């Protein structure tokens, strides 16, 4: 079954503004530092931009404390579209290794339920103004964003201040 969104959207950019990918604004990293005590430079990013040529964050072992802003609709070398579910599964796997994961994503019932089932704390972040890779300018946002916090130090239970 073909996705209703054109596969070329991720290659050509959004029809309205031509933007491709959106980066995390400093305000999100500041929130993590103020609330949880982890500085931006302490966070492993399994979804870096620009992505090194041979790097695949779904196959690599992540760092002890991670920030995940997963790419939307990435197409792998076999032409398969990889979405949020693959990144969620990987985050859960890494959490089970005793790691702390900060995972941001638009609020969707299925993902909230799955993350809570896996022990994540859920923090409503509001309408985050992501930054365009093309010019660094903030976009309009995409609605309600959740930050899911998986704390593997406690068996992937909800976040508890150490």
């Amino acid at each position: 079954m073909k996705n209703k969104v054109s596969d070329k959207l991720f290659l050509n950019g959004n029809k309205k503004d031509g933007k491709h990918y959106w980066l995390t604004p400093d305000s999100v990293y500041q929130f993590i530092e103020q609330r949880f005590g982890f500085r931006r430079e302490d966070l492993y990013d399994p979804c870096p931009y620009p992505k090194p040529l041979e790097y695949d964050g779904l196959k690599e072992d992540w760092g002890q404390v991670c920030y995940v802003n997963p790419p939307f609709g990435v197409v792998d070398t076999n032409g398969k579209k990889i979405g949020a579910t693959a990144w969620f599964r990987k985050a859960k796997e890494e959490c089970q290794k005793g790691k702390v994961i900060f995972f941001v994503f638009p609020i969707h019932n299925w993902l909230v339920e799955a993350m809570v089932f896996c022990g994540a704390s859920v923090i409503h972040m509001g309408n985050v103004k992501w930054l365009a890779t093309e010019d660094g300018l903030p976009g309009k946002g995409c609605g309600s964003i959740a930050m899911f916090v998986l704390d593997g130090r406690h068996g992937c239970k909800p976040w508890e201040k150490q």
Side-chain angles (χ1 to χ4, degrees):
M1 184 170 159
K2 191 148 177 95
N3 190 326
K4 290 182 181 180
V5 177
S6 169
D7 292 334
K8 294 182 180 181
L9 171 67
F10 304 104
L11 299 175
N12 299 332
N14 182 305
K15 289 180 184 177
K16 292 181 182 177
D17 60 17
K19 304 294 172 117
H20 289 80
Y21 296 99
W22 298 92
L23 304 176
T24 304
D26 288 339
S27 60
V28 173
Y29 293 112
Q30 291 165 355
F31 174 82
I32 292 171
E33 183 171 356
Q34 290 169 359
R35 176 116 182 227
F36 301 101
F38 296 108
R39 297 175 307 152
R40 181 179 189 161
E41 49 273 2
D42 298 329
L43 303 173
Y44 178 84
D45 184 356
C47 309
Y49 181 86
K51 182 180 81 64
L53 188 59
E54 299 297 321
Y55 179 81
D56 183 345
L58 291 171
K59 294 178 181 172
E60 298 291 326
D61 191 44
W62 294 358
Q64 283 304 116
V65 182
C66 307
Y67 172 76
V68 184
N69 177 4
F72 285 60
V74 173
V75 179
D76 72 6
T77 54
N78 298 321
K80 180 181 176 189
K81 189 171 161 188
I82 300 170
T85 304
W87 290 99
F88 162 67
R89 287 183 182 135
K90 177 66 172 175
K92 181 182 173 203
E93 175 186 311
E94 293 294 315
C95 178
Q96 291 171 334
K97 295 177 184 177
K99 300 174 183 183
V100 176
I101 315 291
F102 298 97
F103 188 104
V104 293
F105 203 78
I107 295 176
H108 294 292
N109 287 344
W110 69 269
L111 185 60
V112 172
E113 290 175 12
M115 286 289 212
V116 170
F117 177 79
C118 292
S121 298
V122 182
I123 301 166
H124 184 259
M125 300 296 292
N127 188 19
V128 175
K129 307 295 188 208
W130 305 103
L131 307 175
T133 58
E134 289 81 3
D135 55 21
L137 295 175
K140 295 179 182 177
C142 59
S144 294
I145 299 295
M147 177 179 290
F148 302 96
V149 184
L150 293 143
D151 190 351
R153 300 170 302 176
H154 303 290
C156 295
K157 294 181 180 174
W159 173 266
E160 295 176 17
K161 190 159 182 143
Q162 299 295 305

